[in-house]
C-alpha cells in the first residue's frame, strides 16, 4: 500500500526527467545541479590542493640543507644514561649515535646502513619519531609507517615539520633470550608504548628497566607482575607508580591510579612511568627521599635552584668535615668487603674470627656525595622587607647548629613564611624567589639532617650493642669449632678403620662380581641348550603330528580297501567256479 508521501516522491523523481510537470520537480533539479557543481568543484579543489601541497613540499625540500643529521637513541643509551647523566626524560641526544644523510636518501636505505653500525637487521628495526611537548619534554610519539620509510629523508623532514637540520629518533629493537635481535612485537590499535624507571629509596638511585606495550583500556594493576619481573622483585610485590610529567620550570610527578585504565590516567605513547616498592608510613621515615616525587624534587633543586655561588661539587668523592673526622677515627680499622671476609672464613674460620675480634675488621662504607653551600648574598632593600625579615629571623636569628650542639630540641617552621612569599610572588624577581627557596631548603635540609643524625646516633648505639652480641657469638662459635677440631683425631682413626673395611668389602665385591659373571655365562650356555632342545622338540612334534595325520588317513582307507577286497574276492570265486576260458 502506497501512502501519499510515496506517491509524491514518485512524482518528484519523474519531475527530474520532466521538470515542467510540478514545482517540486523543478526545485529538485536545482538542488541536483547545485550538488553536482559543489561536488565537482570540491574534488577539483582537493586535487589542486594536493598538487599545491606537493609543489610546496618539493619547494621546501629544495630549500633545505642537502644533508640531515639523524640522531638515534637505542635502549642501551637509556640504560647507560638514566640515573647517571639523565634523571628526567629518556636520553641526552648530545650523546647518542649520529648519522649524516643526504635528503635524497630513502629511509629504507638508511636502515640498511644503520644495520651495519647497530648489528641489527633492517627488518628488525622500528624507528619512533620524537616530538617536543608543550611541557618542555621530548618523547617518542609515533612509529614510522611503511610509506614513510619508503620515502626520502627530506620528505620525512617536511612531513613532520622538522625545521632544523636534524631528526631525533628512538630505535626499538626486541631481544631474544640470548640478547640477539628478535622479531618486533605488533602494536595494536589501542596499544601505547610506555617506558619504565625503577626507584630504590635505600640507594637513592633511579634506573631504566625497560619498555612495555599497554592497552589503553586495561588497568596498570594488570602490569604489576611484569614490572616486578623487570625489577627482579617477587612477582606479587606491591608497587607504587608515578608519571613523569614536567621538570622545567616546575617539577610535576604525579601518582598513577592503578585502578583506572591507562586511558583514564591520560597516558599516551612515549610516557614514562616510575615505580618503586610500596612503603609503609613507618618505613618512609628511614629514607631521605622515600618516593619518586621527593627524589625528583631533590634532583630538581640540586640542578636548577642553586645559584652560581651555591653549586654542587663536580667530584663525587668529596667529603664533609664530619665525614673526614669519622674517617680519621676509623683509620686504624682494616677496610675490606664481604667477598674478602667470605674467603677468609672459607680458608680459616678461627683466623677470621680472631682478626675480627682483635683488629676490628669493618665493611667499608660508601659515602654519599655532598656539597657545601655558601651564605646567600644580602637581599635587595627594595624587596618587601617584612616577609624577608620574618624569614631571616626564623632561619638565622639563632644559630641552629649551636643550639643543636648544646642539646636543645630544634623546631623551626619556615614553610608558612614561604607560602606567604609564594602567594605574593609577583612582588619578587625570579632570582629573589630562588634565594628564598634556597634558604627554606637549607633550613629544612638542616633540620632533617639533625633528625637523621639523632637517628644515626641511636642506630650507632644499637649497632654497638649488636656488635658486642656478635662478638660474643663469635667467641662461642670459636669455642665450638675448637671443640670439634679436638675430636678430629678420634674421628680420623675411626675413618681409617672404616676405609680398611671398605677396602675389604670392595675386594669381596670384586670376587662376587667374578662369580656372578661366571654364573651368568653358565646361564647363557644353558639358555642356548634349552633353545636348541626347544627347536628339536618342535621338529619332533611337527613330525609326530604329520604321522598322526597320516595314520588317521590310513585308518580311514582300511575299511574301504577291505570292502573293495571283498568285492574282488566274490568276483574271483565266481570266475574261479566258471572260468571264462
Amino acid at each position: 500500500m502506497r501512502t501519499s508521501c510515496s506517491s509524491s516522491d514518485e512524482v518528484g523523481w519523474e519531475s527530474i526527467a520532466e521538470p515542467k510537470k510540478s514545482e517540486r520537480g523543478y526545485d529538485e533539479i536545482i538542488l541536483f545541479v547545485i550538488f553536482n557543481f559543489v561536488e565537482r568543484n570540491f574534488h577539483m579543489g582537493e586535487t589542486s590542493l594536493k598538487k599545491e601541497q606537493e609543489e610546496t613540499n618539493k619547494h621546501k625540500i629544495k630549500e633545505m640543507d642537502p644533508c640531515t643529521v639523524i640522531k638515534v637513541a637505542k635502549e642501551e643509551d637509556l640504560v647507560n644514561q638514566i640515573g647517571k647523566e639523565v634523571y628526567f626524560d629518556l636520553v641526552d641526544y648530545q650523546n647518542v649515535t649520529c648519522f649524516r644523510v643526504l635528503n635524497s636518501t630513502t629511509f629504507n636505505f638508511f636502515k640498511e646502513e644503520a644495520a651495519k653500525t647497530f648489528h641489527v637487521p633492517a627488518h628488525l628495526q622500528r624507528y619512533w619519531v620524537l616530538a617536543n611537548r608543550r611541557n618542555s619534554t621530548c618523547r617518542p610519539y609515533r612509529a614510522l609507517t611503511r610509506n614513510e620509510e619508503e620515502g626520502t629523508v627530506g620528505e620525512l623532514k617536511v612531513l613532520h615539520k622538522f625545521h632544523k637540520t636534524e631528526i631525533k629518533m628512538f630505535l626499538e629493537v626486541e631481544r631474544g633470550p640470548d640478547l640477539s635481535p628478535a622479531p618486533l612485537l605488533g602494536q595494536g590499535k589501542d596499544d601505547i608504548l610506555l617506558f619504565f624507571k625503577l626507584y630504590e629509596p635505600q640507594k637513592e638511585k633511579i634506573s631504566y628497566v625497560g619498555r612495555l606495550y599497554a592497552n589503553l583500556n586495561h588497568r596498570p594493576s594488570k602490569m604489576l607482575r611484569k614490572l616486578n619481573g623487570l625489577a627482579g622483585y617477587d612477582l606479587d610485590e606491591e608497587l607504587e607508580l608515578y608519571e613523569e610529567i614536567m621538570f622545567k620550570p616546575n617539577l610535576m610527578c604525579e601518582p598513577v591510579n592503578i585502578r583506572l585504565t591507562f586511558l583514564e590516567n591520560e597516558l599516551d605513547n612515549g610516557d614514562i612511568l616510575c615505580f618503586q616498592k610500596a612503603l609503609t608510613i613507618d618505613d618512609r621515615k628511614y629514607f631521605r627521599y622515600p618516593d619518586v616525587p621527593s627524589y625528583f624534587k631533590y634532583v630538581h633543586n640540586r640542578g636548577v635552584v642553586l645559584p652560581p655561588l651555591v653549586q654542587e661539587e663536580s667530584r663525587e668523592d668529596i667529603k664533609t668535615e664530619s665525614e673526614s673526622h669519622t674517617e680519621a677515627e676509623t683509620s686504624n680499622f682494616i677496610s675490606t668487603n664481604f667477598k674478602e671476609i667470605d674467603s677468609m672464613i672459607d680458608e680459616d674460620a678461627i683466623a677470621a674470627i680472631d682478626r675480627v675480634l682483635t683488629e676490628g675488621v669493618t665493611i667499608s662504607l660508601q659515602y654519599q656525595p655532598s656539597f657545601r653551600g655558601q651564605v646567600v648574598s644580602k637581599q635587595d632593600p627594595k624587596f618587601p622587607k617584612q616577609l624577608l625579615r620574618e624569614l631571616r629571623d626564623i632561619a638565622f636569628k639563632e644559630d641552629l647548629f649551636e643550639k643543636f650542639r648544646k642539646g636543645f630540641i630544634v623546631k623551626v617552621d619556615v614553610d608558612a613564611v614561604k607560602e606567604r612569599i609564594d602567594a605574593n610572588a609577583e612582588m619578587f624577581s625570579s632570582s629573589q624567589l630562588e634565594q628564598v627557596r634556597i634558604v627554606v631548603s637549607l633550613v629544612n635540609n638542616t633540620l632533617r639532617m639533625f633528625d637523621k643524625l639523632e637517628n644515626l646516633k641511636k642506630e650507632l648505639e644499637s649497632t654497638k650493642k649488636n656488635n658486642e652480641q656478635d662478638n660474643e657469638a663469635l667467641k662461642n662459635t670459636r669455642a665450638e669449632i675448637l671443640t670439634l677440631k679436638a675430636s678430629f683425631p678420634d674421628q680420623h682413626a675411626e675413618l681409617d678403620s672404616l676405609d680398611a673395611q671398605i677396602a675389604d668389602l670392595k675386594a669381596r665385591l670384586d670376587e662376587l662380581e667374578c662369580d656372578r659373571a661366571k654364573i651368568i655365562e653358565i646361564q647363557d650356555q644353558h639358555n642356548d641348550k634349552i633353545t636348541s632342545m626347544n627347536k628339536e622338540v618342535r621338529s619332533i612334534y611337527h613330525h609326530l603330528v604329520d604321522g598322526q595325520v597320516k595314520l588317521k588317513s590310513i585308518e580311514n582307507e582300511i575299511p574301504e580297501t577291505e570292502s573293495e577286497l571283498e568285492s574282488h574276492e566274490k568276483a574271483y570265486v565266481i570266475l574261479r567256479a566258471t572260468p571264462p576260458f
Side-chain angles (χ1 to χ4, degrees):
M1 176 179 180
R2 294 181 179 268
T3 62
S4 58
C5 291
S6 61
S7 62
S8 63
D9 287 342
E10 286 182 351
V11 172
W13 284 112
E14 289 175 359
S15 63
I16 294 176
E18 300 177 7
K20 295 181 180 179
K21 284 188 177 180
S22 68
E23 185 179 356
R24 181 175 181 180
Y26 180 72
D27 293 338
E28 288 183 356
I29 287 179
I30 295 175
L31 291 175
F32 180 76
V33 171
I34 292 174
F35 174 78
N36 285 337
F37 176 78
V38 171
E39 184 179 17
R40 183 170 61 256
N41 281 275
F42 174 77
H43 287 299
M44 291 176 63
E46 187 179 26
T47 304
S48 62
L49 182 62
K50 286 183 178 179
K51 291 182 179 179
E52 183 180 352
Q53 185 67 35
E54 290 176 358
E55 292 295 330
T56 304
N57 290 344
K58 290 179 181 179
H59 181 67
K60 287 182 178 180
I61 293 174
K62 289 181 180 179
E63 290 181 347
M64 286 181 189
D65 292 335
C67 294
T68 296
V69 176
I70 301 179
K71 295 185 174 182
V72 181
K74 311 182 299 298
E75 197 156 24
E76 292 83 352
D77 297 321
L78 276 60
V79 173
N80 294 331
Q81 291 189 25
I82 291 176
K84 301 169 187 175
E85 305 167 7
V86 174
Y87 294 89
F88 207 84
D89 262 336
L90 291 174
V91 70
D92 179 7
Y93 272 87
Q94 300 301 321
N95 297 318
V96 299
T97 306
C98 299
F99 300 87
R100 187 173 180 83
V101 183
L102 291 172
N103 290 332
S104 58
T105 304
T106 63
F107 197 83
N108 279 331
F109 182 79
F110 162 73
K111 289 176 65 175
E112 295 291 343
E113 293 300 313
K116 301 175 184 178
T117 301
F118 299 139
H119 305 290
V120 177
H123 69 281
L124 298 181
Q125 302 174 22
R126 180 184 289 158
Y127 286 88
W128 289 73
V129 180
L130 276 81
N132 293 318
R133 297 182 177 180
R134 294 180 180 178
N135 57 6
S136 300
T137 59
C138 185
R139 308 282 174 81
Y141 80 99
R142 182 170 68 80
L144 292 182
T145 63
R146 182 175 299 177
N147 291 335
E148 290 172 339
E149 292 183 345
E150 291 174 353
T152 64
V153 173
E155 292 171 348
L156 186 64
K157 285 182 65 177
V158 172
L159 178 64
H160 291 278
K161 299 180 181 180
F162 292 117
H163 302 299
K164 296 183 180 180
T165 58
E166 66 179 33
I167 301 177
K168 296 178 180 178
M169 290 188 166
F170 170 72
L171 171 58
E172 179 187 2
V173 177
E174 286 297 325
R175 299 285 180 180
D178 58 349
L179 299 182
S180 60
L184 292 164
L185 298 176
Q187 184 180 13
K189 180 181 178 182
D190 296 328
D191 289 344
I192 57 174
L193 179 65
L194 300 176
F195 297 85
F196 294 91
K197 298 179 184 177
L198 170 66
Y199 176 60
E200 300 171 277
Q202 66 276 16
K203 298 180 181 178
E204 294 182 7
K205 176 184 177 183
I206 196 163
S207 56
Y208 175 78
V209 293
R211 54 181 166 75
L212 293 171
Y213 280 103
N215 189 297
L216 284 170
N217 301 314
H218 292 174
R219 295 182 177 87
S221 56
K222 291 187 176 182
M223 192 177 280
L224 296 184
R225 293 177 67 86
K226 291 183 179 179
L227 295 182
N228 280 318
L230 291 177
Y233 296 155
D234 293 337
L235 297 182
D236 296 327
E237 185 72 47
E238 187 177 354
L239 300 176
E240 297 176 0
L241 269 68
Y242 300 88
E243 179 192 2
E244 290 187 13
I245 301 174
M246 186 168 62
F247 192 66
K248 294 179 182 179
N250 298 317
L251 173 68
M252 287 184 66
C253 183
E254 302 295 337
V256 175
N257 191 336
I258 63 175
R259 295 179 180 84
L260 299 179
T261 65
F262 288 99
L263 181 62
E264 292 168 337
N265 278 292
E266 299 181 356
L267 295 173
D268 202 353
N269 275 327
D271 282 335
I272 305 171
L273 299 185
C274 303
F275 66 98
Q276 66 178 87
K277 286 185 179 181
L279 298 177
T280 64
I281 297 177
D282 293 334
D283 291 338
R284 297 174 71 87
K285 64 183 180 182
Y286 295 108
F287 304 105
R288 286 200 306 171
Y289 313 111
D291 52 33
V292 175
S294 62
Y295 177 74
F296 275 142
K297 185 177 180 182
Y298 156 70
V299 174
H300 183 273
N301 293 339
R302 183 185 65 181
V304 178
V305 176
L306 298 179
L309 293 177
V310 189
Q311 293 182 348
E312 182 183 7
E313 296 290 343
S314 60
R315 292 179 292 108
E316 294 184 356
D317 57 348
I318 188 167
K319 299 179 178 63
T320 62
E321 294 180 1
S322 60
E323 290 174 340
S324 301
H325 179 67
T326 304
E327 191 172 352
E329 288 180 351
T330 59
S331 61
N332 59 332
F333 288 83
I334 300 174
S335 179
T336 185
N337 55 36
F338 285 113
K339 291 183 178 179
E340 184 179 346
I341 287 182
D342 290 343
S343 62
M344 288 166 51
I345 294 173
D346 292 338
E347 182 178 353
D348 190 346
I350 293 296
I353 292 172
D354 291 340
R355 187 175 178 185
V356 171
L357 294 176
T358 58
E359 298 178 0
V361 176
T362 60
I363 305 303
S364 60
L365 299 176
Q366 299 292 331
Y367 290 98
Q368 294 290 337
S370 60
F371 62 90
R372 290 190 288 272
Q374 300 181 13
V375 179
V376 180
S377 61
K378 187 177 180 180
Q379 303 291 336
D380 191 329
K382 294 182 180 180
F383 296 165
K385 294 183 179 180
Q386 183 177 357
L387 289 176
L388 296 178
R389 186 183 300 110
E390 185 176 350
L391 177 62
R392 186 169 59 249
D393 290 345
I394 293 175
F396 303 117
K397 188 172 184 179
E398 296 182 353
D399 191 334
L400 298 180
F401 288 87
E402 187 65 26
K403 290 181 67 176
F404 179 78
R405 291 190 184 96
K406 291 181 179 180
F408 294 109
I409 298 176
V410 181
K411 290 185 178 180
V412 179
D413 185 10
V414 294
D415 292 331
V417 181
K418 183 180 181 300
E419 290 178 1
R420 293 166 60 192
I421 293 175
D422 291 339
N424 300 278
E426 67 278 359
M427 303 172 64
F428 301 88
S429 67
S430 59
S431 61
Q432 293 166 351
L433 291 175
E434 286 183 0
Q435 296 291 346
V436 170
R437 294 191 194 98
I438 292 169
V439 172
V440 173
S441 178
L442 177 62
V443 172
N444 286 333
N445 288 336
T446 301
L447 296 177
R448 186 161 55 250
M449 290 302 101
F450 285 159
D451 293 337
K452 184 176 180 180
L453 185 58
E454 285 294 328
N455 292 332
L456 288 175
K457 287 180 179 179
K458 294 178 182 178
E459 188 176 352
L460 178 62
E461 292 298 326
S462 175
T463 304
K464 286 182 178 179
K465 292 180 180 179
N466 292 335
N467 286 343
E468 292 176 357
Q469 295 175 357
D470 291 339
N471 287 337
E472 189 65 27
L474 282 176
K475 292 178 182 179
N476 295 334
T477 304
R478 183 179 185 276
E480 291 178 3
I481 292 174
L482 291 175
T483 303
L484 291 174
K485 283 188 174 183
S487 63
F488 278 1
D490 295 338
Q491 293 175 356
H492 277 301
E494 186 176 355
L495 184 61
D496 293 339
S497 175
L498 290 174
D499 288 340
Q501 294 179 24
I502 290 172
D504 294 339
L505 290 174
K506 285 183 176 179
R508 179 58 180 164
L509 182 62
D510 292 339
E511 294 178 359
L512 293 174
E513 285 291 340
C514 293
D515 295 341
R516 184 176 183 275
K518 292 178 181 179
I519 292 173
I520 291 175
E521 184 178 358
I522 294 171
Q523 285 181 344
D524 292 340
Q525 294 175 357
H526 288 173
N527 288 334
D528 292 340
K529 289 182 180 180
I530 290 173
T531 302
S532 176
M533 293 176 69
N534 285 338
K535 291 180 180 179
E536 186 177 353
V537 168
R538 189 180 296 109
S539 176
I540 294 172
Y541 176 76
H542 289 169
H543 190 268
L544 180 61
V545 169
D546 292 340
Q548 288 179 347
V549 171
K550 188 176 181 180
L551 180 62
K552 187 67 174 176
S553 175
I554 294 171
E555 289 178 351
N556 292 333
E557 289 179 1
I558 288 175
E560 295 178 0
T561 305
E562 288 179 348
S563 176
E564 187 177 356
L565 183 60
E566 287 179 359
S567 63
H568 287 307
E569 183 180 3
K570 290 178 180 179
Y572 176 76
V573 171
I574 294 170
L575 290 175
R576 184 173 180 272
T578 59
F581 47 82

